[in-house]
Amino acid sequence: MPPLTAVERFFERLFERPSARLFRARLQPIQIQHRIERAMESERLTTSDRTLAPNRFVVHLHPADLADFGDMTGTLAAELADSALSFARAHHYTVVDRPRVDLVADPAIQRADIR
């Protein structure tokens, strides 16, 4: 993991997560999108002629956070995959296949957290 990515994650854990829990803020799709983008950046592989980015993402959310999205969970996953593709293209990353995002309910995850 690049050093700046590690610093960014540190500050995210330090400021964003506690404030979201304190004010009982609902998890927003843009937060998931940013987490996927950071995962693409931190897990990319640079070769001599291109930069490969991951294209499969399994997003673990607290069951209540996932339930808050209701019936739009499938649509949300597709939109997040489209956003990941747009991000990859904007940064000139190569993906082997069209990105796929799976949203999974995980009771081990704290509320308003994304893993």
Side-chain angles (χ1 to χ4, degrees), residues 43-53 92-96:
E43 299 297 323
R44 70 180 187 255
L45 298 171
T46 303
T47 63
S48 61
D49 61 337
R50 61 186 174 170
T51 302
L52 295 171
H92 306 290
Y93 296 160
T94 302
V95 289
V96 177

Side-chain angles (χ1 to χ4, degrees), residues 86-106:
S86 297
F87 181 81
R89 287 179 176 162
H91 288 82
H92 306 290
Y93 296 160
T94 302
V95 289
V96 177
D97 196 7
R98 184 167 183 76
R100 178 178 167 182
V101 176
D102 295 316
L103 301 173
V104 177
D106 187 346

Side-chain angles (χ1 to χ4, degrees), residues 38-113:
R38 283 195 297 273
M40 288 183 95
E41 288 182 332
S42 67
E43 299 297 323
R44 70 180 187 255
L45 298 171
T46 303
T47 63
S48 61
D49 61 337
R50 61 186 174 170
T51 302
L52 295 171
N55 62 327
R56 298 285 183 243
F57 304 94
V58 178
V59 180
H60 293 257
L61 304 171
H62 188 274
D65 288 330
L66 190 58
D68 285 345
F69 293 120
D71 293 337
M72 67 178 261
T73 303
T75 305
L76 176 60
E79 288 177 6
L80 290 168
D82 290 342
S83 295
L85 182 60
S86 297
F87 181 81
R89 287 179 176 162
H91 288 82
H92 306 290
Y93 296 160
T94 302
V95 289
V96 177
D97 196 7
R98 184 167 183 76
R100 178 178 167 182
V101 176
D102 295 316
L103 301 173
V104 177
D106 187 346
I109 305 300
Q110 292 184 6
R111 181 95 189 203
D113 198 4

